[in-house]
Amino acid sequence: MNGGGKRSFGSGGGGGRGKPAHGAAAAQGKDGQRRPMFRRRKVCKFCAEKIDDINYKDTKLLMPFVPERAKILPRRISGTCAMHQRKLRTAIMRARQLALIPYTAE
Amino acid sequence: MKRKYELVYVVSPDATDAQIADLHAQVEAIAQRLGGVIEKTDNWGRRRLAYEIGPHKEGTYVLELIEGGGELMKEIDRRFKVTDLIIRHLVVRVDEEQTVIDRTRTKRSETSRRRRIARGLPPDRAPGEGQREIDDDRDDRFDMTEVER
């Protein structure tokens, strides 16, 4: 049972390593450095993939921008450009009205 | 002036197929009376709602593409507000956005053609030529795993 617990802990650590920000946060706490890790350049998804039409019916496209709490992901995290963030916002708000996307979780 | 509108309405899950057809007929009748045309009707079928609306957890979604004036949509909106069977509806004007989208698309393809001709290449890109398609594992884009703060 003990071994099983250890293993699960180990796998949890591995999962954490998969997400770069987790590692970065831990390093920051330990060393007290200001910029501990290289931050990758963020690119607007809609510019990069040349998506012109941000439609409220396209839930698959919108879902990554409304994480667990179902709040709209801010630009500083997703890296979306101002124009596309605006369009994204109207699309999400319309989709919410039709109960395609939740307003909040729980 | 002709405008295009999208109308989506969510019908209560208790509604029978006949009732849904009747709602569609109502929309059609209003459109005809006020000089509009229904261009397309699309029934998305029963879907789970993202949140509960009153007692409902599911709903039948119907999309209609209507060409007509603002008065027509106002009438449909008014009618739907008082219809108990409809739990949600949304009217969106689409023609202006569509022209903008078409314009950016043609502009993009034209500039790419012009540049390619300037470089002495055939105007259209051959399959497999140029920048490869964006892979999902390219890591300079947001991939949902990154969390800051």
Side-chain angles (χ1 to χ4, degrees):
Chain A
M1 190 173 162
N2 193 17
K6 258 184 190 169
R7 197 176 299 150
S8 83
F9 176 76
S11 82
R17 201 178 287 165
K19 298 170 187 176
H22 273 271
Q28 198 165 10
K30 227 178 196 176
D31 310 332
Q33 282 176 308
R34 286 182 70 210
R35 290 272 160 190
M37 271 182 111
F38 170 74
R39 257 168 232 268
R40 49 164 101 130
R41 206 174 110 254
K42 290 173 197 153
V43 177
C44 171
K45 181 188 159 118
F46 305 101
C47 291
E49 294 180 18
K50 299 198 175 98
I51 301 168
D52 301 305
D53 184 17
I54 305 180
N55 200 307
Y56 63 94
K57 286 167 288 180
D58 193 353
T59 339
K60 242 190 206 148
L61 181 71
L62 303 179
M63 272 331 256
F65 294 91
V66 279
E68 306 101 90
R69 277 319 286 260
K71 292 190 163 200
I72 299 175
L73 199 74
R75 224 151 71 69
R76 73 178 134 82
I77 292 172
S78 63
T80 317
C81 71
M83 183 185 77
H84 284 128
Q85 181 77 8
R86 270 194 315 268
K87 291 186 175 171
L88 185 68
R89 177 170 173 268
T90 43
I92 290 172
M93 280 161 61
R94 281 173 184 170
R96 278 176 174 172
Q97 207 163 22
L98 287 171
L100 297 170
I101 284 178
Y103 280 98
T104 88
E106 297 153 65
Chain B
M1 208 207 123
K2 284 289 165 206
R3 296 174 173 184
K4 264 189 199 166
Y5 292 92
E6 253 176 18
L7 165 73
V8 184
Y9 51 93
V10 187
V11 190
S12 147
D14 318 321
T16 57
D17 284 352
Q19 278 173 314
I20 293 166
D22 182 52
L23 283 169
H24 173 70
Q26 270 185 40
V27 174
E28 204 162 18
I30 298 168
Q32 242 165 29
R33 190 152 50 84
L34 293 168
V37 190
I38 296 180
E39 289 194 353
K40 202 182 87 182
T41 311
D42 190 9
N43 194 328
W44 300 353
R46 237 174 135 100
R47 286 177 62 129
R48 231 191 124 69
L49 301 174
Y51 49 89
E52 290 167 32
I53 302 175
H56 307 297
K57 286 186 176 170
E58 280 180 334
T60 311
Y61 284 75
V62 183
L63 169 89
E64 317 238 18
L65 198 66
I66 301 170
E67 194 181 297
E71 287 301 311
L72 163 63
M73 297 321 287
K74 230 182 201 169
E75 174 62 17
I76 290 175
D77 192 56
R78 192 193 64 76
R79 192 71 83 81
F80 275 10
K81 271 183 191 161
V82 295
T83 310
D84 290 333
L85 217 55
I86 287 166
I87 49 183
R88 278 296 150 95
H89 70 278
L90 178 75
V91 176
V92 181
R93 190 175 163 191
V94 287
D95 52 339
E96 281 177 329
E97 276 172 37
Q98 198 53 50
T99 49
V100 171
I101 290 163
D102 291 345
R103 208 181 297 144
T104 48
R105 267 191 199 142
T106 50
K107 206 171 152 190
R108 185 182 300 134
S109 66
E110 268 168 24
T111 36
S112 108
R113 274 161 168 254
R114 210 186 49 236
R115 285 178 171 171
R116 284 178 68 86
I117 289 166
R119 281 157 61 204
L121 295 163
D124 286 309
R125 194 181 271 187
E129 189 194 338
Q131 240 188 352
R132 72 192 164 92
E133 289 294 301
I134 295 155
D135 290 335
D136 264 343
D137 58 357
R138 223 178 73 175
D139 68 351
D140 61 345
R141 275 166 44 243
F142 171 62
D143 59 0
M144 288 180 288
T145 51
E146 194 168 23
V147 178
E148 277 185 311
R149 263 162 269 226

